Amino acid sequence: MRNVPGRDQQADRRALREALVGACADAGASIGMLYLPDPDPTRRVLHLTLTSGLSREFAAPWSRVGLDDPIPVADAVREGRLVWLGGQEDTARRYPRLGLVLPYDFALAAVPLTAEADDRAHEPTGAGLLFLWPGSHGPDLDEKEGKALEAARSLLTTILLRAAAAGRPMRPSPYPVVLRPLPAPTPGPAEAAATMAFVRRLPGGNCALDLNGTITFITPEAADLLGAPVSDLLGALPWEALPWMDTPAIENHYRATVMSRLTRSFIAERPTGQRVCFDLYPDNTGISVRITTVSGRPSVAVPVPPAGPEQPAPSRATALYPLMLLAVTLTEAAHAQDVVEKAADQIVPSLGAHALALLAEQDGRVRIVGHRGYSAEHLAELDGTPVSADTAITHILHTATPLFFGDAGELLAAHPDAVIEDGMAAWAFLPLIASNRPIGSLVLAYGHPRVFAPGERAVLTSIAGLIAQALDRARLYDATHQLARSLQTGLLPHTLPRVPGLDVAARYLPAAYGLEIGGDFYDLIRIDDTTVAAAIGDVQGHNVNAAALMGQVRTAVHAGAGAPPEEVLARTNRLVTDLEPGLFTSCLYAHIDLAGHTLRVASAGHPPPLLRHPGGATEMLDLPTGLLLGIEPGATYTAVEIPFSPGSLLALYTDGLVEAPDRDIEDAIGAVESLIGDAPERHPLGELADELIEHAHRDGPRPDDIALLLLRTEGP
């Protein structure tokens, strides 16, 4: 029989699903989630592909996680380690964003899906596994759970690698696939009848909810206590079928029960004044609910206002959770594209939207800031539309009034020239207002016609307000960032001179935080055909003042090049002191004689250079360290002459390359020294420079700039 690739792919996915469900059962976990990497390796995104023990609605806000987001599964995959959270306090302390949005009691483990340590033939899959345990779990992962977690990691990794090796790598699903936990034994007819009789004999009322909150079973007694017929309640969400239950507090009880798997009780009051007690008993398939009246509190009749015109169903209290999650997420958005990505990650899955677009006004025209779900061709037609045109987008820019169209007919009736993209059937056009002025618009498209209830319109308008503030802040940051980078680029050398017999590589990386502008600099100055000067320095601070002083220091060093190193530093020091900038500068200046094979170096409080000799032996040069520039106008400096034989390599760097929190600086310099010494004899300097920068970032983002200058003389 001919092999069918699609059948093999189905078998792979079935194996993956069975493995996840079985792993949850073996580990005693209540929830399991499998994340796969984006097929495009340039997109650092994880997609939730399979989930067990959790409804799709709960999973939606977490269906797309940036690999650099402060989320446990992202940290586990990015850093290749286990992330364990032992409870609510641990979660709130280490992941405040997660603790704010999911303030429930549960234990969590996240692991990367990587091959065994001794299996060198495979690369990491880039996937991640997440398990949640009930709130009754202790603060530590026990031995049995640890073994089950390791077995799950091994099995799921094997399935992914085997599929990839067969040429059918697993791709993330468009939406998370919700798996059912292992089923309980099905009762026979007699047992089912006895069960129903048992339930009916219990006092009060009883009902069952699935993990999404939908009522799957309810007794007539429970329906009477809720004040609605059984037919209206079966298959409905309580807070949608019963307006008096549509409150965030009531739905939060349900959410807390699902996430913690702990029993919970609360009391709610019906419009008649009757107080009703709800006892929630969860497991991995749903929630059993016991409903009773509060004893000792007689019902009091409360007049009910006459019914007005029929209104659309009230908005879900659930909408408040995406709103809160979006508010937290947008605080981490620095650039305009960050706003687009983070907004799309939350809004599109949480609110059931099909597509999203952010547009802004610029120079009298509508410009596309970013989008998700729309085709690039469709938005290219909109980009550059004059603000004076008569479209839904320009209308809200002029009026700052949101527009809602429940179907294509409504949109075309208002704007006959509107172009409707395939797969879209309802739209919300929302103004982005910041500082009391419209700065753009948010367009949400839905795949099916819908009625935008008043509550939903209010939530969507609030979401647009959050995005507007974040976008306005991000655009200001982008403009400042561009100015800072332009200033930084203008102050550093555009190119380094070519010197016969000398190979050179330089790198500059701004700090991970702030304006990305600082006072680190490097320079290479050609004095004659066989003599060059190299300089590197670090001005205190990360602001425009530091960058300006850096330019002055670099100019002073350049002007004095050719003089002995100790004189160059002394002259520069006097200049910096006269300027009285209130900032201090470290600097190292080296005079290199390529013909005489010597190196003369002087330091003003700068980290020691590293020298690799021909053959690979590498040392940290022990130099007399003078005062930082700008402290004492009469400071003197001492130069040291060192052999610089053909094939030698000199590494000059700023402290950003070696300084990291909780790490001894001498150990850090020693690690860089080892990397340089272990490099092949004729290893390209550019590649070595990149490797040193990559090494510096392995411990996380650096709080300081990095400047690096490598110089190697031609060997025999």
Side-chain angles (χ1 to χ4, degrees):
M1 181 176 177
R2 184 168 58 89
N3 187 36
V4 181
R7 186 171 300 165
D8 292 334
Q9 291 175 348
Q10 292 175 3
D12 293 336
R13 290 195 172 274
R14 184 167 57 252
L16 210 58
R17 295 176 182 184
E18 292 174 354
L20 180 61
V21 173
C24 283
D26 294 341
S30 52
I31 295 171
M33 305 169 80
L34 174 66
Y35 283 86
L36 295 181
D38 195 279
D40 183 353
T42 64
R43 293 172 61 86
R44 294 173 57 80
V45 174
L46 297 172
H47 297 271
L48 178 58
T49 300
L50 300 177
T51 180
S52 175
L54 194 67
S55 71
R56 180 175 284 108
E57 182 177 353
F58 260 43
W62 312 100
S63 60
R64 187 176 182 275
V65 173
L67 199 54
D68 298 311
D69 286 352
I71 299 296
V73 69
D75 285 351
V77 173
R78 186 181 65 254
E79 300 172 10
R81 64 179 178 89
L82 166 70
V83 174
W84 169 255
L85 300 176
Q88 187 174 4
E89 290 187 8
D90 198 15
T91 301
R93 183 178 68 255
R94 295 168 55 191
Y95 294 92
R97 167 177 154 187
L98 184 65
L100 176 64
V101 179
L102 294 177
Y104 310 123
D105 204 4
F106 54 81
L108 178 150
V111 294
L113 297 185
T114 56
E116 296 290 344
D118 58 353
D119 187 357
R120 305 298 182 188
H122 296 303
E123 295 292 331
T125 64
L129 179 63
L130 191 72
F131 279 168
L132 271 70
W133 282 266
S136 56
H137 193 284
D140 300 314
L141 190 69
D142 66 29
E143 183 178 358
K144 178 183 177 182
E145 293 163 342
K147 289 181 178 179
L149 193 61
E150 174 58 25
R153 183 206 63 76
S154 179
L155 177 57
L156 290 165
T157 300
T158 300
I159 295 172
L160 292 175
L161 293 175
R162 185 176 60 211
R168 48 179 191 273
M170 292 286 194
R171 304 296 188 193
S173 305
Y175 301 98
V177 175
V178 178
L179 307 178
R180 294 183 178 179
L182 296 174
T186 302
E191 186 180 3
T195 301
M196 288 301 301
F198 167 78
V199 170
R200 290 194 177 97
R201 285 193 294 268
L202 292 174
N206 299 278
C207 72
L209 311 177
D210 63 15
L211 290 176
N212 192 49
T214 302
I215 299 175
T216 57
F217 166 80
I218 188 167
T219 62
E221 294 81 4
D224 289 342
L225 288 172
L226 295 178
V230 171
S231 58
D232 288 352
L233 296 174
L234 271 178
L237 295 165
W239 35 86
E240 285 188 347
L242 302 166
W244 62 274
M245 294 191 72
D246 185 24
T247 69
I250 288 180
E251 190 169 353
N252 187 62
H253 288 300
Y254 154 72
R255 285 175 167 264
T257 304
V258 170
M259 295 302 299
S260 68
R261 296 293 203 269
L262 298 176
T263 58
R264 196 176 185 92
S265 297
F266 66 93
I267 295 174
E269 185 171 323
R270 290 182 51 187
T272 61
Q274 184 183 47
R275 292 163 60 82
V276 184
C277 181
F278 296 83
D279 299 308
L280 282 63
Y281 302 91
D283 69 3
N284 290 347
T285 62
I287 301 176
S288 296
V289 183
R290 180 87 179 279
I291 308 173
T292 56
T293 57
V294 178
S295 59
R297 296 180 180 271
S299 300
V300 179
V302 177
V304 179
E310 186 176 354
Q311 297 291 332
S315 64
R316 292 286 314 281
T318 309
L320 295 178
Y321 291 91
L323 186 62
M324 184 167 63
L325 180 57
L326 179 65
V328 174
T329 303
L330 288 179
T331 62
E332 302 165 1
H335 303 282
Q337 283 305 311
D338 293 340
V339 175
V340 175
E341 292 297 320
K342 293 182 182 297
D345 288 348
Q346 300 304 327
I347 295 175
V348 172
S350 298
L351 301 182
H354 179 77
L356 168 150
L358 277 179
L359 306 99
E361 180 182 359
Q362 182 178 347
D363 299 328
R365 293 185 178 274
V366 175
R367 296 297 180 187
I368 308 297
V369 178
H371 62 93
R372 174 81 58 78
Y374 276 105
S375 67
E377 295 79 8
H378 178 74
L379 290 183
E381 297 179 6
L382 295 177
D383 195 34
T385 301
V387 175
S388 58
D390 183 17
T391 68
I393 294 170
T394 56
H395 176 81
I396 60 175
L397 287 176
H398 292 307
T399 65
T401 303
L403 297 174
F404 299 92
F405 302 103
D407 56 40
E410 292 183 11
L411 175 60
L412 293 174
H415 300 280
D417 296 332
V419 178
I420 298 176
E421 189 168 351
D422 291 342
M424 299 184 184
W427 296 264
F429 293 83
L430 306 161
L432 300 178
I433 301 174
S435 302
N436 296 320
R437 61 184 178 86
I439 63 169
S441 59
L442 166 67
V443 181
L444 295 174
Y446 297 82
H448 301 283
R450 65 189 291 118
V451 174
F452 292 95
E456 183 180 7
R457 296 186 182 205
V459 169
L460 292 178
T461 303
S462 298
I463 286 175
L466 290 175
I467 294 174
Q469 295 174 21
L471 182 61
D472 194 43
R473 183 178 66 248
R475 292 172 71 187
L476 176 61
Y477 181 89
D478 285 340
T480 308
H481 170 265
Q482 182 59 42
L483 174 63
R485 292 303 299 271
S486 299
L487 177 60
Q488 186 82 57
T489 303
L491 293 174
L492 289 171
H494 289 235
T495 59
L496 296 176
R498 295 178 179 272
V499 181
L502 188 67
D503 192 10
V504 181
R507 296 290 185 271
Y508 172 81
L509 265 76
Y513 309 106
L515 287 181
E516 300 188 2
I517 182 170
D520 288 23
F521 69 93
Y522 61 85
D523 210 345
L524 184 68
I525 307 159
R526 179 170 178 165
I527 298 173
D528 57 37
D529 289 344
T530 60
T531 311
V532 296
I536 195 162
D538 183 0
V539 179
Q540 171 191 16
H542 296 90
N543 50 40
V544 175
N545 292 337
L549 180 59
M550 176 265 281
Q552 293 169 317
V553 172
R554 180 171 168 249
T555 300
V557 170
H558 215 283
E566 60 272 27
E567 292 184 20
V568 173
L569 290 184
R571 294 174 187 173
T572 306
N573 175 61
R574 288 193 292 271
L575 170 67
V576 175
T577 307
D578 290 342
L579 292 173
E580 297 183 352
L583 300 173
F584 304 128
T585 305
S586 71
C587 186
L588 189 142
Y589 181 90
H591 184 95
I592 304 172
D593 183 353
L594 297 173
H597 308 303
T598 59
L599 174 69
R600 190 170 178 82
V601 191
S603 174
H606 199 79
L610 301 172
L611 178 63
R612 169 176 163 151
H613 301 281
T618 307
E619 64 173 320
M620 181 176 65
L621 297 182
D622 187 12
L623 304 176
T625 304
L627 284 175
L628 294 169
L629 305 179
I631 295 179
E632 172 58 49
T636 59
Y637 300 90
T638 303
V640 175
E641 188 169 296
I642 301 164
F644 196 52
S645 54
S648 298
L649 186 153
L650 179 67
L652 310 180
Y653 56 91
T654 56
D655 53 10
L657 184 73
V658 292
E659 281 191 346
D662 303 324
R663 186 171 186 183
D664 183 79
I665 188 151
E666 291 188 2
D667 293 341
I669 294 175
V672 174
E673 179 183 335
S674 298
L675 286 173
I676 293 175
D678 294 341
E681 189 72 27
R682 297 184 181 276
H683 194 50
L685 274 194
E687 294 183 15
L688 178 59
D690 292 337
E691 290 167 7
L692 295 177
I693 296 295
E694 181 182 355
H695 168 77
H697 282 84
R698 286 176 187 164
D699 294 329
R702 292 280 168 151
D704 202 357
D705 303 354
I706 298 176
L708 174 66
L709 183 61
L710 302 179
L711 306 104
R712 181 173 60 196
T713 60
E714 290 184 356

